[in-house]
Coordinates of all heavy atoms in Angstrom, one line a residue:
S768 N 74.4 -225.7 -56.5 CA 75.1 -225.4 -57.8 C 74.1 -225.3 -59.0 O 74.5 -224.8 -60.0 CB 76.1 -226.5 -58.1 OG 75.5 -227.8 -58.2
L786 N 55.1 -203.5 -54.8 CA 56.0 -204.4 -55.5 C 55.2 -205.6 -56.0 O 54.4 -206.2 -55.3 CB 57.1 -204.8 -54.6 CG 57.9 -206.1 -55.0 CD1 58.8 -205.7 -56.2 CD2 58.8 -206.5 -53.9
D806 N 62.7 -202.2 -45.9 CA 62.2 -203.5 -45.8 C 63.1 -204.6 -46.3 O 63.9 -204.4 -47.3 CB 60.8 -203.6 -46.5 CG 59.7 -203.1 -45.7 OD1 59.9 -202.9 -44.5 OD2 58.6 -203.0 -46.2
I838 N 42.5 -214.8 -48.7 CA 41.1 -214.6 -48.3 C 40.3 -214.1 -49.5 O 39.2 -214.6 -49.7 CB 41.0 -213.7 -47.1 CG1 41.6 -214.4 -45.8 CG2 39.6 -213.3 -46.8 CD1 41.7 -213.5 -44.6
E924 N 51.0 -197.0 -39.4 CA 50.7 -196.5 -40.8 C 50.6 -197.7 -41.8 O 49.7 -197.6 -42.6 CB 51.8 -195.6 -41.2 CG 51.6 -195.0 -42.6 CD 52.7 -194.1 -43.1 OE1 53.8 -194.6 -43.5 OE2 52.5 -192.9 -43.1
L926 N 49.5 -200.7 -41.3 CA 48.2 -201.3 -41.1 C 47.1 -200.4 -41.6 O 46.1 -200.9 -42.2 CB 47.9 -201.6 -39.6 CG 48.8 -202.7 -39.0 CD1 48.6 -202.9 -37.5 CD2 48.6 -204.1 -39.7
A977 N 45.3 -192.0 -47.5 CA 44.6 -192.3 -48.7 C 45.6 -192.1 -49.9 O 45.5 -192.9 -50.9 CB 43.4 -191.3 -48.9
A981 N 47.0 -197.9 -52.7 CA 46.9 -198.2 -54.1 C 45.4 -198.2 -54.6 O 45.2 -197.9 -55.7 CB 47.5 -199.6 -54.4
L987 N 37.4 -193.2 -54.6 CA 37.0 -191.8 -54.6 C 36.8 -191.2 -56.0 O 35.8 -190.5 -56.2 CB 38.0 -190.9 -53.8 CG 38.3 -191.3 -52.4 CD1 39.4 -190.4 -51.8 CD2 37.0 -191.1 -51.6
L1013 N 46.1 -182.0 -51.1 CA 46.9 -183.2 -51.2 C 46.1 -184.3 -52.0 O 46.6 -184.9 -53.0 CB 47.3 -183.8 -49.8 CG 48.2 -185.0 -49.8 CD1 49.6 -184.6 -50.4 CD2 48.3 -185.5 -48.4
S1039 N 43.3 -177.5 -67.5 CA 42.3 -177.2 -66.4 C 42.8 -177.7 -65.1 O 42.7 -177.0 -64.1 CB 41.0 -177.8 -66.8 OG 40.0 -177.5 -65.7
L1053 N 52.3 -184.9 -66.1 CA 51.1 -184.7 -66.9 C 51.4 -183.8 -68.1 O 51.0 -184.1 -69.2 CB 50.0 -184.0 -66.1 CG 49.2 -185.0 -65.1 CD1 48.3 -184.2 -64.2 CD2 48.4 -186.0 -65.9
D1073 N 62.4 -206.4 -89.9 CA 61.4 -207.0 -90.7 C 61.4 -208.5 -90.6 O 62.2 -209.1 -89.7 CB 61.5 -206.6 -92.2 CG 62.9 -207.1 -92.8 OD1 63.5 -208.0 -92.2 OD2 63.3 -206.5 -93.9
A1092 N 50.1 -199.6 -86.5 CA 49.1 -200.4 -85.8 C 49.9 -201.3 -84.8 O 50.6 -202.3 -85.2 CB 48.3 -201.2 -86.7
Q1108 N 38.8 -203.6 -89.8 CA 39.1 -202.2 -90.1 C 40.2 -202.0 -91.1 O 40.1 -201.3 -92.1 CB 39.3 -201.4 -88.8 CG 38.1 -201.3 -87.9 CD 38.5 -200.9 -86.5 OE1 38.5 -201.6 -85.5 NE2 38.9 -199.6 -86.4
K1111 N 39.9 -202.8 -94.8 CA 39.2 -201.8 -95.6 C 40.1 -200.6 -95.9 O 40.1 -200.0 -97.0 CB 38.0 -201.3 -94.9 CG 36.9 -202.5 -94.7 CD 35.7 -202.0 -93.9 CE 34.7 -203.1 -93.7 NZ 33.5 -202.6 -93.0
D1114 N 42.3 -201.7 -98.7 CA 41.6 -201.7 -99.9 C 41.5 -200.3 -100.5 O 41.5 -200.2 -101.8 CB 40.1 -202.3 -99.7 CG 40.1 -203.8 -99.5 OD1 41.1 -204.4 -99.9 OD2 39.1 -204.3 -99.0
F1122 N 51.4 -193.7 -99.1 CA 50.8 -194.3 -97.8 C 51.3 -195.7 -97.6 O 51.5 -196.5 -98.5 CB 49.3 -194.3 -97.9 CG 48.6 -195.0 -96.7 CD1 48.5 -194.4 -95.5 CD2 48.2 -196.3 -96.8 CE1 48.0 -195.0 -94.4 CE2 47.6 -197.0 -95.7 CZ 47.5 -196.3 -94.5
L1124 N 50.8 -198.8 -94.5 CA 50.2 -199.3 -93.2 C 51.2 -200.3 -92.6 O 51.6 -201.3 -93.3 CB 48.9 -200.0 -93.5 CG 48.3 -200.9 -92.4 CD1 48.0 -200.0 -91.1 CD2 47.0 -201.5 -92.8
S1147 N 47.3 -210.9 -93.2 CA 48.1 -210.7 -94.5 C 47.2 -210.1 -95.6 O 46.5 -210.9 -96.3 CB 48.6 -212.1 -94.9 OG 49.4 -212.6 -93.9
P1162 N 61.3 -198.0 -75.1 CA 61.2 -196.5 -74.8 C 60.2 -195.8 -75.7 O 59.6 -194.8 -75.3 CB 62.7 -196.1 -75.2 CG 63.3 -197.2 -75.9 CD 62.6 -198.4 -75.5

Side-chain angles (χ1 to χ4, degrees):
S768 58
L786 164 71
D806 276 350
I838 291 171
E924 181 184 75
L926 294 174
L987 298 179
L1013 186 66
S1039 176
L1053 282 170
D1073 62 19
Q1108 296 166 246
K1111 296 179 181 179
D1114 283 344
F1122 173 75
L1124 169 58
S1147 301

